[in-house]
Amino acid sequence: MQRYDAIVIGGGLVGSAIAYGLVREGLTTALIDEGDVAFRASRGNFGLVWVQSKGLGAPHYQRWTRLSADEWPKLAAELGERTGIAVGLEQPGGVQLCLGEEEFAARRAMMEQMRTEAGNFGFDYRMLDRDALAEMLPGLGEAVTGGSWTPYDGHVNSLYLLHGLHKGFVGRGGVYIANRSIDYAGVAPNDFRLGSGADEIGAGKIVLAAGLGNAKLAPLFGLSAPVRPQRGQILVTERTERIWPIPIGSLRQTLEGSIMLGSSEEEVGFDTGQKPEIMQEIARRAVESFPFIAELQIIRAWAALRVMPPDGKPIYDASEKFAGAFTANCHSGVTLAGAHANVFAPMVAAGALDPMMTPFSARRFDVPAAA
Ligand SMILES: Cc1cc2nc3c(=O)[nH]c(=O)nc-3n(C[C@H](O)[C@H](O)[C@H](O)COP(=O)(O)OP(=O)(O)OC[C@H]3O[C@@H](n4cnc5c(N)ncnc54)[C@H](O)[C@@H]3O)c2cc1C
């Protein structure tokens, strides 16, 4: 049996970032991925490093997201230096547009709640009126009444990120085991054995980062990950001259000039099909926001499934029953990559989660039985 210090299950953005962090901590690490048979959010997302709407009513999540955004430049620079892959990180701040006074008022209330909940940690935001936005964003449509701005937001090429994490992981001695599903798991505290066909690998630590696959895997390790799929559809235009200095919540222009339009939030189970009426609605809102988009050709469109915890906030846990087993699930694996590689992985390497992670435990979903 091949033994490692740690095994990470799931080679998407969450597992790759954690595995990269673990090898950097000096742990011999294997990263196992099931392959194309699985649903893979990491290959179908929007690429925002988005802070301004994360953690409403949950200041711990707001802080975790901000921490990740702060870690991002370090991670991007390190991946660039070690792998030669420039992930295209830009963090110039971001804007969420509001169409109509009602949306503007609701957004203002939300941002003010975020600021109040941030307490002494602070939350810098501004509500920008139409004129201020029009100066910043050429081509702004008449339907836009204003928007919210924070300095924390950014975007990245998330496929380059995934590639960079994999290359960085292997470059530091990590072992990537692709297209492998697990036939059995032998589970004991600090002694985990996974079998696939005739092969067996073992480790003292295991991190379950299999996205939607975690729902089935977690109970085997004394953990729980009640995640569900939530579909998002995205449209992409042909390349055009770069016009916006800043990403917009549902529109972002890539470094190469394409404009991404997105993304829907649909409760349709494990269905990655595309729906013309949803695509039309995404396009309609984009054209209302920036009428010139109507002149651009749509060259690609797809749907992918988010990994959604019941309350939308990440799940991180350490197993009480089987020491050494951890879970990680979230619906913002691009945004949180900085924290996963630079903060979460060192906790796993040290063998315990920091107390600041306690509110993220899936135990928050345990509802006492009615008397
Ligand atoms: C439309 C859309 C837009 C999004 N936009 C953004 C955004 O702008 N910003 C942002 O931060 N996030 C965004 N996200 C979310 C982000 O993509 C996900 O949070 C992230 O990709 C989740 O990564 P993951 O590794 O947990 O899951 P996945 O990418 O699903 O990867 C899980 C991996 O685990 C493997 N696996 C599953 N089961 C097993 C098993 N039993 N054994 C071995 N391997 C297994 C699979 O093969 C898969 O590769 C978006 C998602 C969608 C769908």
Side-chain angles (χ1 to χ4, degrees):
M1 180 181 66
Q2 184 67 43
R3 270 199 85 81
Y4 301 90
D5 295 329
I7 295 172
V8 178
I9 304 185
L13 281 172
V14 174
S16 307
I18 295 168
Y20 176 77
L22 290 176
V23 282
R24 196 181 42 200
E25 290 294 304
L27 273 66
T28 58
T29 305
L31 175 61
I32 305 179
D33 192 77
E34 203 176 34
D36 281 339
V37 292
F39 294 98
R40 298 162 120 185
S42 302
R43 286 156 169 83
N45 62 66
F46 204 64
L48 291 172
V49 176
W50 206 244
V51 176
Q52 65 171 276
S53 48
K54 304 282 169 54
L56 185 72
H60 59 284
Y61 180 27
Q62 190 190 138
R63 279 196 294 278
W64 182 240
T65 308
R66 288 268 294 281
L67 177 62
S68 192
D70 290 346
E71 290 295 329
W72 244 110
K74 231 186 305 171
L75 178 64
E78 190 181 293
L79 290 177
E81 274 162 31
R82 294 195 72 100
T83 68
I85 295 170
V87 298
L89 175 71
E90 294 183 320
Q91 289 178 298
V95 170
Q96 182 74 46
L97 301 182
C98 304
L99 305 187
E101 291 304 333
E102 210 175 300
E103 272 189 26
F104 191 78
R107 190 73 186 175
R108 182 197 293 280
M110 174 185 165
M111 299 303 274
E112 189 50 26
Q113 186 181 333
M114 293 278 286
R115 194 185 64 75
T116 306
E117 289 172 354
N120 291 333
F121 187 62
F123 180 73
D124 186 10
Y125 82 91
R126 259 169 258 163
M127 294 306 292
L128 301 178
D129 63 18
R130 224 207 95 70
D131 291 347
L133 269 185
E135 232 172 79
M136 183 192 283
L137 302 171
L140 194 72
E142 290 301 322
V144 178
T145 33
S148 58
W149 169 90
T150 77
Y152 313 115
D153 307 298
H155 57 159
V156 71
N157 183 320
S158 58
L159 289 176
Y160 289 166
L161 169 64
L162 188 60
H163 187 199
L165 289 169
H166 276 234
K167 196 168 172 192
F169 170 71
V170 173
R172 284 179 180 267
V175 176
Y176 180 51
I177 305 173
N179 301 316
R180 188 73 62 87
S181 56
I182 301 304
D183 298 328
Y184 69 89
V187 181
N190 299 308
D191 182 11
F192 304 98
R193 296 159 191 229
L194 303 179
S196 168
D199 299 333
E200 195 179 52
I201 59 173
K205 294 188 168 72
I206 191 157
V207 181
L208 309 181
L212 291 165
N214 262 13
K216 270 196 191 152
L217 285 173
L220 304 177
F221 297 83
L223 290 156
S224 147
V227 287
R228 71 173 195 282
Q230 185 194 66
R231 187 169 70 187
Q233 297 185 54
I234 291 174
L235 315 181
V236 183
T237 71
E238 63 184 314
R239 291 178 184 182
T240 184
E241 150 194 25
R242 260 200 125 204
I243 39 170
W244 301 324
I246 194 165
I248 303 165
S250 54
L251 293 166
R252 83 173 188 92
Q253 191 168 25
T254 66
L255 277 177
E256 296 79 14
S258 303
I259 297 179
M260 297 179 69
L261 326 179
S263 52
S264 56
E265 296 178 2
E266 303 164 67
E267 301 297 335
V268 291
F270 287 89
D271 176 356
T272 52
Q274 291 168 268
K275 280 264 168 13
E277 53 273 34
I278 303 281
M279 295 160 83
Q280 279 161 7
E281 175 56 22
I282 291 171
R284 186 197 60 75
R285 203 178 154 93
V287 169
E288 267 193 47
S289 304
F290 294 94
F292 75 87
I293 289 178
E295 306 301 321
L296 298 174
Q297 295 295 322
I298 297 294
I299 54 158
R300 269 197 305 283
W302 66 82
L305 301 179
R306 292 186 188 84
V307 181
M308 193 57 79
D311 59 2
K313 291 152 191 108
I315 298 172
Y316 305 104
D317 247 329
S319 177
E320 287 177 348
K321 196 167 169 194
F322 302 109
F326 300 86
T327 41
N329 272 124
C330 67
H331 78 83
S332 289
V334 183
T335 306
L336 294 176
H340 290 157
N342 293 357
V343 186
F344 184 79
M347 292 180 199
V348 172
L353 298 186
D354 187 277
M356 76 172 174
M357 306 305 281
T358 306
F360 291 112
S361 167
R363 285 185 285 278
R364 69 185 186 268
F365 304 122
D366 295 345
V367 181

